[in-house]
Amino acid sequence: MIAENLNKVEDKIAESCIKCGRNRSEIRLIAVSKTQPVEIIKEVLNTGINNLGENKAQELRDKSELITGDFNWHFIGHLQTNKVKYVIKAAEFIHAVDSIKLAEEINRKSKEMNKNQKVLLEIKTSDEATKFGLANEKEIFEVAQFCKNSSNLNLVGLMTMAPFTDDESVIRNCFIELRELKEKLNKNGFAISELSMGMTNDYTIAIEEGATMLRIGTAIFGDRPTGRQAEFINNAGTK
Ligand SMILES: *Cc1c(COP(=O)(O)O)cnc(C)c1O
């Protein structure tokens, strides 16, 4: 089933790339494996996926000890400073930096590990999609500058979530805002290349607006296990 799902996703990605004249190789597909058990994740890796996304710190830590190989982990969730220690070892990219305090802690822990940590800033482009993310432009520039000045941080991009809606123009505007913000930062001395945007509901629009990282869960794995079932699977898979 997963191979079939993945084929469908790849077909749609290819179609969108043709539509807007982009090259598939510019786009990284991150399979969002949160709540999924280890066996299923291994199955996905066998289909050639080489980027996995998790949004809970301990879940990433536990899974990264059980699943190893030639692929990258992405931490895509909201990160509290006291949990940075759980993700820093495994995460190639941390997508949702939304404060100087968090950037500071990531830098401190990266330094201890002698690691250069790739980070993205989470930008709040809508009020509904998430309560997290930077919304104020002055603040965005301050956090970006802080990252730039930090010895062990490498600011590579911006990330956003669009609201879950059928109104395509609302979604598109979020993605346009993110792209324009990237251009503005780059005009002001930053060198940011990644736009992490696009989920199951909206990834074709994200591609059209310049996404370089798609974070797709449901379209690849099917519906996520919920509630007690999810907890059970997590415990079974990671303990
Ligand atoms: C869960 C999640 C996704 C994937 O969502 P789907 O709708 O299942 O594709 C993407 N980004 C973030 C930050 C998530 O938490």
Side-chain angles (χ1 to χ4, degrees):
M1 187 189 76
I2 283 181
E4 216 173 282
N5 290 348
L6 204 52
N7 279 338
K8 279 188 207 149
V9 170
E10 280 296 348
D11 283 350
K12 281 176 79 175
I13 293 174
E15 213 176 281
S16 298
C17 282
I18 290 167
K19 192 172 160 190
C20 60
R22 296 189 63 195
N23 195 322
R24 172 67 184 87
S25 65
E26 300 166 16
I27 300 165
R28 196 189 293 252
L29 173 57
I30 302 166
V32 176
S33 53
K34 63 188 187 194
T35 78
Q36 301 294 344
V38 169
E39 289 318 309
I40 303 280
I41 299 172
K42 285 183 176 165
E43 196 183 321
V44 155
L45 289 170
N46 283 335
T47 64
I49 280 284
N50 43 26
N51 292 276
L52 293 176
E54 290 286 339
N55 73 336
K56 295 271 188 322
Q58 286 98 327
E59 192 172 337
L60 171 61
R61 177 200 59 191
D62 293 349
K63 284 177 173 172
S64 67
E65 282 164 9
L66 293 164
I67 311 168
T68 54
D70 191 16
F71 63 90
N72 291 319
W73 288 106
H74 297 248
F75 190 76
I76 62 172
H78 177 66
L79 185 56
Q80 292 165 271
T81 48
N82 63 340
K83 295 190 176 167
V84 168
K85 57 180 181 283
Y86 298 137
V87 311
I88 208 100
K89 203 169 141 197
E92 177 78 14
F93 295 87
I94 296 177
H95 284 236
V97 173
D98 60 359
S99 69
I100 287 186
K101 191 168 152 247
L102 176 59
E104 204 168 18
E105 178 63 6
I106 297 172
N107 185 56
R108 201 172 68 79
K109 283 276 184 293
S110 302
K111 212 173 200 164
E112 278 174 22
M113 287 190 58
N114 206 11
K115 179 184 185 187
N116 194 14
Q117 179 65 56
K118 295 185 194 109
V119 296
L120 295 84
L121 301 186
E122 180 175 7
I123 309 297
K124 190 173 164 125
T125 53
S126 88
D127 286 334
E128 308 101 273
T130 160
K131 56 180 188 284
F132 302 112
L134 296 157
N136 173 289
E137 197 169 292
K138 182 166 165 277
E139 209 182 332
I140 293 167
F141 271 78
E142 281 169 6
V143 182
Q145 191 61 48
F146 182 88
C147 292
K148 200 178 169 182
N149 295 344
S150 298
S151 56
N152 292 62
L153 297 183
N154 181 8
L155 176 63
V156 297
L158 304 176
M159 177 272 214
T160 201
M161 274 170 96
F164 188 81
T165 167
D166 289 333
D167 188 343
E168 203 182 296
S169 68
V170 170
I171 295 170
R172 193 176 293 280
N173 283 337
C174 290
F175 297 156
I176 291 173
E177 191 183 322
L178 198 73
R179 189 187 63 224
E180 289 180 348
L181 185 60
K182 180 189 102 172
E183 286 159 7
K184 192 160 187 182
L185 283 159
N186 286 347
K187 274 203 194 97
N188 285 280
F190 292 91
I192 289 168
S193 55
E194 305 290 344
L195 289 175
S196 169
M197 56 190 197
M199 308 174 23
T200 293
N201 188 48
D202 54 25
Y203 66 92
T204 58
I205 306 169
I207 292 169
E208 289 169 26
E209 299 305 337
T212 62
M213 292 174 161
L214 310 175
R215 310 180 310 268
I216 302 182
T218 311
I220 295 172
F221 291 95
D223 285 335
R224 271 183 289 281
T226 51
R228 291 180 71 84
Q229 192 191 356
E231 263 168 53
F232 172 74
I233 288 175
N234 283 335
N235 291 337
T238 58
K239 290 282 146 60

